[in-house]
Amino acid sequence: VALRSRAILELSGLGGGMASVAEPEDRVQERVAAYDGRISVAAVNSPGQTVVSGPSDDLAALVAEVTDEGGRARLIPVDYASHSAQVDRIRERITTDLSGIEPSSGRVPFWSTVTGERLETASLDAAYWATNLRETVRFAETTRGLAVSGHNVFLEISPHPVLTAAIEETLDDTEGAPDHRVVVGTLRRDQGNLRRLTASLAEAWVRGVEVDWAAAFAEYRPIPVELPTYAFQRRRYWLEPSATAGQPSTAVAVDTAFWELVEGGDASGLSEVLGADRDLTRSLGDVLPALSSWWDRRRTGAAVDAWRHRVVWRPVSAPDAPVRLTGTWLLVVPEDTGSADADRWYDYFTRELTSAGARVVPVRVGRDSADRSRLRGLIAGARAEAPVTGVLSFLALGAGQADGHDAVPWGAAATLALTQVLDDIGSTARLWLATDGAVTAAPGDAVRAPEQSQVWGFGGVVPAEFPDTWGGLIDLPATGPDALRRGSGGSAPDRLLAVLSGASGEFEVALRPDGPRARRLVRAPLTAAAPAETYKPSGTVLITGGTGALGGHVARWLASRGAEHLLLVSRSGAEAPGAAELAAEVRALGTEVSYAACDVGDREALVSVLAAVPAEYPLTAVFHAAAILDDAVIGDLTVAQMQHALRVKVGGAEHLHELTRDLDLSAFVLFSSVAGICAAAGQGNYAPGNAYLDALASRRRAAGLAATSISWGHWAGGGIASPEIEERLGRQGLTMLDPARAVEALGHILDHGESHLAVCDIDWDVLFRDRPKALVSEILRGDPGADGPAEGGHGDRAAGRPDTEEPGVRLAAALGGLDEQGRVRHLVRLVRGLAAVVQGHESADAVDVAKPFRDQGFDSLTAVELRNRLIAETGQRLPATLIFDHPTPNALARHLSGRLVPEADPGGAATATAVDAELDRLETLFAGLSEHADGYARTAARLADLAARWNERAAAAGASAPDSEPGGADPAPGDASFADEISAAGDDELIALIGKQFGIS
């Protein structure tokens, strides 16, 4: 090898070179034919990778020819032409230098890349090695010959594997090659030790290659150990490759090998691949760091580009025909609002809904009526008059804060209560939530009520938990209703009615004078344009949540960008775990660091922190990353929990905004979450605050102040979410973001002066599996410019079914021909299968049919997930407490059988039993209710009204009413005299009367 390398030096400087062409040999032969023998095919490494050699000028022309046609080709940085006519110059020297070689026959079969077949080693004389350097390297042909002859294990013995990709590609292209084959390396760059060699042996062994482990570990004298006495479960958790997945292209395989060498800074390995001489190897070592850095930036940029998303608004198409509505619509309005146009809006919607055929019933909610129990009475009373098909809530417009909870807008608390009540009473009506100035959807728009944006965040959670009763969100314009004029079929009112009816397939709409606009999330890759200027922090940069996982990453990144002083604010300050280590890292980067122990929800405490900012480092930027997680499913969420979460994220942001608005800040960065745009089930207390941050940034920008809101996905490396929550988010389609790349994305956003971006890695099909998909329809279609109605209207919101097949049709057909026992067995399989999916089990066998769901690991959130999947399968309205009311798979299957096939419950016995159980539960509740409690008389009146209607139904069916007390002295519930007595009674008399009739004391 050394003697031949010395001979090659004679060719250096003769104007020769080599080039790599990502094309098959026959195509390359056609190209080089035009060069009259000046260019030779030097090597064929694989079916799609060919190396040529010859004069440098001719090679440059060939490379240009290939690349101009869209192909891949590049010059190899060498100044000689191996395997070409140039080698004839040194043939005599090579044969002379190697004349002393006396080859002999070997015990190991030898396959030659000169002949492409097995060769007797006794023929490897000087003439052979001269031919080896002159003729084409038939590596692919040799690999193919080995495979066809039955060889299926290919071991590359080298400092780093550079030919494994070429071998894999050749084997894939070889007819008759063994189906099972193993291609492995030995050592790797920077891993030239025994540990790496042993790992390579293990890789070969687990793929079926016999390894003499006793010999491999002889010096360690290993002692065999007994296997466990229990049987292996034989469950495989590795992802299996798709049967239709294509193999990597030749270009990809070659690129991968090349860039692995570059990334590892392996100048020697790269030189060997390129066929470079010693001088060029030294030159490669000089340029490799810069090349590796460029490659790393390019890969990071590509990954970050895939994470970038932006909110846009698309016009809602006009309906093809006038829209008609049916049934009763409840218009739920607050008595006290901060909007001068509120009453005019109520009148406008009443008029439009009525004109379309709906019956409108107003429900006015006072400040003292917005809690769950009182609101239940108001809604139940309003819906008693007729079946309700729609509910349009204006509660978000309510003024002020919730009583006793200064961080919670009254409108947000009331909206939560309304959503809970509709589920409590089993309403099937679709719920629409209206806001006034919560979003910006058109040029010139401004966020007028950022506190109402919390309802948009909450509205992103409702469809995840109640997909069958979700209507959507509507934001009202600043112009008031007078600007919305009725005209042709394409007028704004017509399109609004198309939205409310579900005909448009839109669920998040901003009503504007020129018509409704629908919200979309679209991909937003960074353009190739360079930023106007690179963001460079100066002075003091304040980071809230500064000692948390996110705050630490941001602190290090700011220090790497040259920040002078970081002020890290958190509840524990310098006493927080890891604070000392973080400070040392930051200072090592040349940045001063200070800590402040402060609750950012406390305005006065924050004033003190800002007052202590050193004069030599004035405050120039704010990064608000503080947050508290206190989540629950909507049915369990309380206003106290809302207060706990919002006072930090929302209160802290509002305080920082107010206290710094007069400063000339270079950055005001709000760490929001993609949950504020489209949350997962169980994030009803997390999403609203993040939506507020997005709105606050928009409002600051409109006022000429610095502001950037980033709706992050979930960062890896710890944070406010527990491991259980992280695992659950993974099942819901969220992939954790690498913090190093996340801060790169942060830098790009600030460098380009962007105001709001969502940075997340989400499987949108999974996240939106059980809900309307309009928001992400353009991402799912891969068509960022598509307009028109979105996929996923009301008819297919649950599981993406076409409107021609309603949920439950296939299930009903499957159950129709079965007897009761067969139906239950079928439904048990369904329940177990869905439960296994929700919990991530390998199969339904892991779900015990007789064990309570709660004892099998279900909680309120997974209960909602299972309920939603059952809704999609059955088409039934099912409560969020379903698996707790019917606690085992067997019990739940029997319950579903009775609902899906009523004749399976002859005489309604199961239903009657369920009603009796509910009455028993209510009686227990009433026993603990004081007659002096608020609403006692109202509850009693509702019970009396219910009893009267029940008796009317029984009388119409020919059944006898309940007997009165002996002697018939007292009127029975349902009698006209009883109703008259209720109407005439005062509160005290009513309490006494109901107590006597129903035994409530």
Side-chain angles (χ1 to χ4, degrees):
V1 173
L3 292 174
R4 196 172 71 160
S5 296
R6 289 177 184 173
I8 289 174
L9 290 176
E10 289 187 20
L11 303 180
S12 180
L14 296 179
M18 303 180 76
S20 174
V21 182
E23 290 182 347
E25 180 188 5
D26 55 355
R27 177 61 180 134
V28 174
Q29 290 283 15
E30 292 175 3
R31 292 186 185 278
V32 303
Y35 292 86
D36 297 326
R38 297 191 303 278
I39 296 180
S40 303
V41 173
V44 182
N45 290 330
S46 69
Q49 176 61 48
T50 307
V51 178
V52 294
S53 59
S56 300
D57 292 344
D58 290 335
L59 292 176
L62 176 64
V63 168
E65 174 188 335
V66 174
T67 55
D68 287 347
E69 294 175 6
R72 295 174 60 84
R74 61 181 178 81
L75 293 173
I76 298 173
V78 296
D79 63 349
Y80 57 86
S82 292
H83 309 287
S84 75
Q86 276 196 5
V87 177
D88 293 337
R89 294 171 176 263
I90 59 172
R91 174 181 284 273
E92 184 176 350
R93 174 175 174 176
I94 292 175
T95 54
T96 301
D97 289 347
L98 302 182
S99 60
I101 292 178
E102 296 181 2
S104 61
S105 297
R107 293 190 301 271
V108 177
F110 177 86
W111 284 67
S112 170
T113 57
V114 175
T115 65
E117 58 188 18
R118 184 171 176 175
L119 190 66
E120 168 58 50
T121 56
S123 65
L124 303 184
D125 55 11
Y128 171 83
W129 292 114
T131 302
N132 177 279
L133 185 61
R134 171 63 176 87
E135 300 301 326
T136 301
V137 178
R138 298 285 174 192
F139 186 79
E141 182 179 336
T142 307
T143 302
R144 187 175 284 111
L146 285 164
V148 172
S149 67
H151 294 280
N152 69 334
V153 177
F154 295 81
L155 181 66
E156 180 180 348
I157 302 174
S158 63
H160 187 82
V162 294
L163 291 171
T164 53
I167 295 171
E168 291 276 15
E169 185 191 357
T170 302
L171 295 177
D172 290 338
D173 189 61
T174 300
E175 184 176 353
D179 292 333
H180 175 72
R181 61 273 189 131
V182 179
V183 183
V184 294
T186 47
L187 304 179
R188 294 185 182 178
R189 61 175 176 276
D190 300 324
Q191 298 179 39
N193 51 29
L194 183 61
R195 181 184 182 89
R196 176 63 258 174
L197 179 60
T198 303
S200 297
L201 289 174
E203 182 183 353
W205 185 73
V206 298
R207 296 174 64 182
V209 179
E210 290 293 330
V211 175
D212 186 350
W213 292 112
F217 289 95
E219 64 177 293
Y220 298 102
R221 299 180 181 179
I223 301 174
V225 297
E226 294 293 330
L227 290 174
T229 55
Y230 57 84
F232 287 107
Q233 297 299 309
R234 300 191 182 280
R235 292 182 180 176
R236 182 174 175 83
Y237 293 97
W238 299 106
L239 292 174
E240 297 289 354
S242 169
T244 58
Q247 296 295 327
S249 68
T250 302
V252 171
V254 173
D255 280 357
T256 300
F258 176 82
W259 289 113
E260 281 183 353
L261 293 170
V262 170
E263 185 182 12
D266 188 353
S268 298
L270 190 60
S271 175
E272 183 178 345
V273 171
L274 301 177
D277 59 20
R278 185 177 305 170
D279 292 338
L280 185 57
T281 299
R282 287 194 293 269
S283 300
L284 285 173
D286 294 335
V287 301
L288 270 181
L291 189 58
S292 177
S293 177
W294 175 87
W295 174 239
D296 185 61
R297 289 196 306 272
R298 183 178 179 184
R299 285 193 309 164
T300 300
V304 169
D305 262 5
W307 293 351
R308 291 168 51 94
H309 303 78
R310 190 185 312 281
V311 170
V312 298
W313 297 83
R314 307 295 193 201
V316 175
S317 300
D320 295 330
V323 174
R324 301 298 297 169
L325 300 176
T326 59
T328 297
W329 279 66
L330 302 185
L331 221 62
V332 186
V333 301
E335 291 182 349
D336 183 17
T337 74
S339 170
D341 290 326
D343 287 333
R344 294 168 61 214
W345 277 119
Y346 308 154
D347 292 341
Y348 173 82
F349 276 92
T350 298
R351 183 173 62 254
E352 294 299 331
L353 290 171
T354 302
S355 69
R359 177 173 178 267
V360 177
V361 175
V363 180
R364 289 200 170 265
V365 181
R367 288 195 62 84
D368 60 349
S369 303
D371 64 88
R372 191 169 184 171
S373 60
R374 294 173 181 172
L375 191 56
R376 185 183 296 114
L378 289 176
I379 298 299
R383 68 193 287 266
E385 303 179 27
V388 175
T389 58
V391 178
L392 177 55
S393 168
F394 291 87
L395 293 177
L397 278 64
Q401 307 304 108
D403 293 341
H405 300 92
D406 59 354
V408 183
W410 181 91
T415 300
L416 168 64
L418 174 63
T419 309
Q420 292 172 329
V421 164
L422 292 174
D423 184 53
D424 291 344
I425 64 179
S427 171
T428 58
R430 299 208 177 276
L431 172 63
W432 288 88
L433 305 177
T435 58
D436 188 10
V439 297
T440 59
D445 256 3
V447 172
R448 293 173 285 111
E451 70 282 355
Q452 292 186 37
S453 65
Q454 295 184 37
V455 172
W456 276 71
F458 178 76
V461 183
V462 179
E465 298 192 25
F466 306 109
D468 53 327
T469 56
W470 175 237
L473 293 155
I474 297 177
D475 189 64
L476 305 175
T479 54
D482 291 343
L484 306 179
R485 301 298 182 189
R486 176 165 292 281
S488 64
S491 68
D494 287 315
R495 282 184 277 172
L496 171 61
L497 290 172
V499 169
L500 292 174
S501 70
S504 70
E506 300 294 352
F507 309 93
E508 298 179 358
V509 172
L511 188 58
R512 296 299 182 259
D514 60 349
R517 294 170 178 261
R519 185 160 72 155
R520 293 284 187 274
L521 192 65
V522 299
R523 298 195 185 279
L526 192 63
T527 62
E533 59 179 329
T534 300
Y535 172 69
K536 182 174 177 57
S538 61
T540 292
V541 180
L542 184 150
I543 307 174
T544 68
T547 59
L550 268 65
H553 290 302
V554 174
R556 296 181 190 95
W557 175 77
L558 286 166
S560 72
R561 283 224 171 180
E564 296 176 291
H565 176 238
L566 299 181
L567 175 55
L568 307 183
V569 180
S570 67
R571 286 179 175 270
S572 302
E575 301 302 316
E581 292 80 1
L582 175 60
E585 291 182 63
V586 170
R587 291 189 178 110
L589 293 170
T591 299
E592 291 296 319
V593 60
S594 302
Y595 286 100
C598 173
D599 174 6
V600 295
D602 183 339
R603 191 178 193 278
E604 295 308 314
L606 203 52
V607 168
S608 299
V609 169
L610 294 175
V613 172
E616 64 270 28
Y617 298 124
L619 184 67
T620 62
V622 170
F623 287 73
H624 180 42
I628 289 177
L629 200 62
D630 191 0
D631 268 344
V633 293
I634 290 173
D636 296 338
L637 189 58
T638 66
V639 180
Q641 285 177 284
M642 296 174 70
Q643 170 76 13
H644 186 216
L646 293 177
R647 70 180 302 277
V648 173
K649 183 172 281 279
V650 171
E654 188 64 29
H655 298 332
L656 289 166
H657 161 61
E658 293 172 351
L659 296 173
T660 65
R661 68 170 62 187
D662 294 329
L663 301 179
D664 184 18
L665 299 182
S666 61
F668 188 92
V669 182
L670 300 167
F671 270 50
S672 176
S673 166
V674 72
I677 302 171
C678 49
Q683 292 187 311
N685 199 30
Y686 183 59
N690 290 291
Y692 174 87
L693 296 191
D694 299 340
L696 177 61
S698 177
R699 196 177 195 188
R700 281 181 59 95
R701 282 274 181 150
L705 302 174
T708 301
S709 183
I710 306 174
S711 299
W712 293 106
H714 187 60
W715 286 42
I720 60 174
S722 66
E724 293 77 17
I725 292 176
E726 289 185 344
E727 189 272 336
R728 181 174 294 154
L729 291 174
R731 289 206 319 268
Q732 293 172 328
L734 279 76
T735 298
M736 291 189 289
L737 305 181
D738 173 18
R741 290 184 173 178
V743 294
E744 286 289 334
L746 170 63
H748 294 162
I749 292 169
L750 293 178
D751 290 345
H752 287 79
E754 296 174 288
S755 60
H756 178 221
L757 218 65
V759 180
C760 52
D761 186 2
I762 295 177
D763 186 332
W764 300 106
D765 281 308
V766 173
L767 183 62
F768 280 77
R769 174 180 49 220
D770 299 321
R771 67 173 108 174
K773 299 175 176 61
L775 176 67
V776 294
S777 59
E778 294 183 16
I779 295 176
L780 295 177
R781 289 199 304 262
D783 182 7
D787 290 328
E791 299 171 357
H794 284 122
D796 64 338
R797 63 174 62 225
R801 292 185 175 86
D803 289 338
T804 54
E805 182 181 53
E806 290 293 329
V809 171
R810 284 182 296 180
L811 180 60
L815 298 177
L818 302 175
D819 59 15
E820 182 178 356
Q821 192 172 20
R823 285 191 292 266
V824 171
R825 281 199 301 268
H826 186 96
L827 290 167
V828 164
R829 288 195 296 271
L830 173 65
V831 169
R832 293 179 75 195
L834 295 178
V837 172
V838 168
Q839 291 200 300
H841 292 312
E842 183 187 28
S843 76
D845 294 338
V847 180
D848 192 319
V849 297
K851 190 175 183 180
F853 288 104
R854 189 184 294 275
D855 293 344
Q856 299 190 62
F858 274 83
D859 56 18
S860 56
L861 182 54
T862 46
V864 167
E865 288 186 50
L866 179 55
R867 186 278 307 261
N868 285 350
R869 290 177 182 270
L870 284 169
I871 288 173
E873 292 293 332
T874 66
Q876 296 283 310
R877 173 77 171 92
L878 302 171
T881 57
L882 180 70
I883 70 167
F884 304 116
D885 298 336
H886 309 281
T888 68
N890 273 335
L892 180 53
R894 287 194 297 271
H895 168 72
L896 292 173
S897 179
R899 290 191 60 158
L900 291 166
V901 187
E903 57 267 27
D905 182 19
T911 303
T913 300
V915 170
D916 286 341
E918 286 298 303
L919 289 174
D920 290 341
R921 186 174 66 85
L922 288 173
E923 188 172 358
T924 301
L925 288 173
F926 294 151
L929 181 64
S930 168
E931 63 270 22
H932 303 297
D934 290 343
Y936 181 89
R938 182 173 63 251
T939 300
R942 285 186 60 203
L943 284 171
D945 178 65
L946 178 61
R949 286 188 281 118
W950 175 261
N951 282 335
E952 289 174 1
R953 177 182 172 188
S960 58
D963 293 335
S964 61
E965 290 292 322
D970 297 316
D975 292 350
S977 58
F978 184 72
D980 292 341
E981 196 168 346
I982 288 176
S983 299
D987 285 352
D988 293 337
E989 294 170 319
L990 182 60
I991 290 170
L993 177 63
I994 299 301
K996 181 167 60 176
Q997 290 292 338
F998 292 96
I1000 302 173
S1001 60

